[in-house]
Amino acid sequence: MTQYLIRRILISIPTLVAISIVIFTILALAPGDPLAEFAMNPAVPPEVRQRIRQSMGLDDPIPVRYVKWASSMLRGDFGYSFRSKSPVIDLIRQRLPTTLYVIGTAYLVSVLIAIPVGVLSAIRQYSIFDNIATTLAFIGFSLPTFVTGILFILLFSVKLGWLPMIYRTTIETEGLAGLWEKIKQALMPIMVLGLFETAALTRYTRAAMLETIHQDYVRTARAKGLSERAVILRHALRNALIPVVTIVALSIPGIFTGAVITEQIFRVPGMGSLLISAIRDNDTPVIMAITIIFSTLVVIFNLIADILYGVLDPRIKYE
Amino acid sequence: MSDVTEQRRVRAAASAVAPAIALPQRKPRSLWSDAWRQFRHHRLALAGGFVLLFMIVATIVGPFLWPIPWNTFDMAEALQGPSLRHPFGTTDLGHDIFARILWGGRISLAVGVVAMLVAVVLGTLIGAVAGYFGGVLDSFLMRLTDMFISIPSLPLLLLITYLFQDRMKAIFGIELGMFLLIVIVIGGLNWMPVARLVRASFLSLKQKEFVEAAHCIGVGTGGIIFRHILPNTLSPVIVAATLGVAQAIITESALSFLGLGFPPDIPTWGRMLYDGINWIEFAPWMVLFPGGAIFLTVLSINYVGDGLRDALDPRRMYAV
């Protein structure tokens, strides 16, 4: 196991290096110059601009720039934003809590809803409950977040006026009223993200549960006279959850990138909106930092999924 | 659909009889007629197929029949609700939304189909080469696939379309340049599932007797890959491709919705949402109809994909 773990981690490192090279090269080859505004500015003579370029290392060949960037990245130095001139790490620190709070809640809610619903609709296959649940899951799965977001805004903000359309970080109200306002504005983004995840997860749980319910060991459990409850919870569910847990771990990075769109709809000041504005401003250091963070998340959660799979299912052998 | 245990029993019986069926005593039913027979039983998939067909025909023929062109506008008729003259209302500039949905649907659907084709061709080639030749080539290609899977695709998609759109527009013109860029990028970041499916099928199929027989009668490598093995891997690829179209339509709409896709004068459904969201309080029809079009299309495609999955799975064929 330990040996497998070490080898698995060692394999992840080249993957990350390769991804960072790909993204770095794309950015380096792209047209567009971070010093474009200086070029327009007559107050900055060309020689000065040239010196700035040299001091920033922009004229070095791409491999040299990559090594410089990667080595400072490893030291935890993400560089400075071209746009706001502040360290990238500070920008990310400002935005990360909001994103984590919205995504984390959405994910928790969807896991809490999806697993019971999936299990129930698998045990009562083809019942009214199952039909409604699978249809809803199918619809939820086919509704892109930007469409649900718009529908929710229309319903809850425009028609009913219950929830605010736009997420604000500057809520001044103290005490419970302020807390309520903060919860209210997060409700819609959480619902939008949660709906999609719940739908997808319900489908997985139902499928996994259906697969295990018809296994021989479940029949054996029934045959030896265990209560239905014990059969479902202890014998079927435990085994059905193995693939579900893996899917949960694997889809966490996806929900981060999915949050990019949701954050844009509700103007949530999180990592996603930081990324969009950085792309619009050609702010290379910020773009690099965020994409690398996202990629690292994918690689780490892949690793976690693999390990969980082995821990939960002793039949899996590591050679 | 019958009870599952029953189905399993039938399947077990069927696999016991399978060798007998394989003998040429009986006129073989083709995969396609079998698939169609199975597909017809999935009512929602059939309905989805009809809706989709209707959408495709409407977007192709519609712009010729509808009297109001998609690109003319009349400020005097701006922000009107749905009426007989404008069944889907008008935009803030007085464009007819119905005409724009028809026209934009062409582009949204075309992006979906072409991006899927790019992904399937790329995935099939990579999967076939990796699975057939094996060895170093296989491990290299599979590492490449793993790497692409670990790339966060949405950020990269946004990045590439934003950074390279001016260059593409300069080379191919605004409309074609943007179309090619989006299609290539979406296809280029979504081929991995297909590659894995095709590779897995190739690994098991290349050991089979019919491939050996083909080798013996002197069929070349290309012939074996494309004529003998590839057609047998089609079922899972077709299902993946169908669902891929929906995915590509969503991705293009998301790009346009973020303002990083097609420019404002090309009204794809996502772009119409982006333009309409600022008017959501005064003119909800500006977002309701494009949003509805996206939803209906994606839902129909997903149902068709679901039906195809059931219809093309050979293990299920004996069940009905």
Side-chain angles (χ1 to χ4, degrees), chain B residues 36-44 46 320:
Chain B
W36 170 242
R37 277 155 43 92
Q38 184 86 19
F39 188 78
R40 272 184 321 194
H41 291 287
H42 198 311
R43 263 177 296 148
L44 282 165
L46 209 58
V320 169

Side-chain angles (χ1 to χ4, degrees), chain A residues 21-44:
Chain A
I21 290 178
V22 169
I23 297 171
F24 194 89
T25 319
I26 289 172
L27 276 168
L29 290 179
D33 185 347
L35 294 181
E37 31 181 323
F38 286 119
M40 300 297 185
N41 189 347
V44 183

Side-chain angles (χ1 to χ4, degrees), chain A residues 11 18-19 22 30-31 126 138-139 142-143 146 150 154 165 257 261 264-265 275 279-280 287 291 294-295 298, chain B residues 1 4 143 147 150 152 154-155 158-159 162-163 167 253-254 257-258 273 280 284 287-288 295 298-299 302-303:
Chain A
I11 292 176
I19 293 173
V22 169
Y126 306 132
F138 211 91
I139 291 175
S142 306
L143 269 170
F146 47 92
I150 286 171
L154 271 176
M165 247 164 89
T257 52
I261 294 166
Q264 203 66 14
I265 304 173
L275 176 69
I279 290 177
R280 290 223 173 96
I287 302 174
T291 36
F294 280 155
S295 320
V298 181
Chain B
M1 226 174 284
V4 172
R143 293 247 52 91
M147 193 198 92
S150 304
L154 188 72
L158 297 173
L159 195 62
Y162 184 73
L163 291 177
R167 195 175 285 176
S253 304
F257 177 75
L258 294 172
L273 282 181
I280 194 166
V287 290
L288 273 179
F295 169 57
V298 172
L299 187 69
N302 281 346
Y303 269 123

Side-chain angles (χ1 to χ4, degrees), chain B residues 4-190:
Chain B
V4 172
T5 33
E6 171 68 17
Q7 221 169 306
R8 281 162 47 85
R9 210 164 48 74
V10 175
R11 201 184 291 163
S15 60
V17 195
I21 293 175
L23 291 174
Q25 305 155 336
R26 179 176 135 196
K27 189 168 175 274
R29 290 181 299 175
S30 80
L31 171 71
W32 303 113
S33 70
D34 262 350
W36 170 242
R37 277 155 43 92
Q38 184 86 19
F39 188 78
R40 272 184 321 194
H41 291 287
H42 198 311
R43 263 177 296 148
L44 282 165
L46 209 58
F50 278 121
V51 171
L52 207 59
L53 205 66
F54 173 75
M55 290 262 213
I56 294 169
V57 172
T59 52
I60 293 175
V61 184
F64 298 115
L65 300 180
W66 188 242
I68 309 170
W70 62 275
N71 50 0
T72 55
F73 55 92
D74 181 0
M75 289 300 271
E77 294 197 41
L79 291 178
Q80 282 184 1
S83 62
L84 267 183
R85 195 173 138 64
H86 302 292
F88 288 180
T90 57
T91 67
D92 53 317
L93 296 173
H95 291 289
D96 179 58
I97 293 181
F98 185 62
R100 285 170 86 78
I101 294 251
L102 289 176
W103 182 258
R106 268 189 194 188
I107 299 159
S108 294
L109 293 175
V111 167
V113 172
V114 179
M116 174 275 290
L117 284 179
V118 172
V120 166
V121 169
L122 212 62
T124 307
L125 276 179
I126 292 176
V129 168
Y132 186 80
F133 294 106
V136 187
L137 200 57
D138 179 33
S139 44
F140 168 74
L141 286 174
M142 283 303 108
R143 293 247 52 91
L144 189 77
T145 313
D146 285 348
M147 193 198 92
F148 265 89
I149 287 176
S150 304
I151 286 181
S153 68
L154 188 72
L156 200 64
L157 207 71
L158 297 173
L159 195 62
I160 299 177
T161 38
Y162 184 73
L163 291 177
F164 291 94
Q165 57 182 337
D166 292 329
R167 195 175 285 176
M168 288 298 278
K169 279 180 193 165
I171 303 175
F172 297 103
I174 292 178
E175 210 161 307
L176 185 66
M178 210 56 212
F179 183 83
L180 285 178
L181 180 64
I182 287 182
V183 158
I184 292 171
V185 176
I186 295 180
L189 289 172
N190 285 303

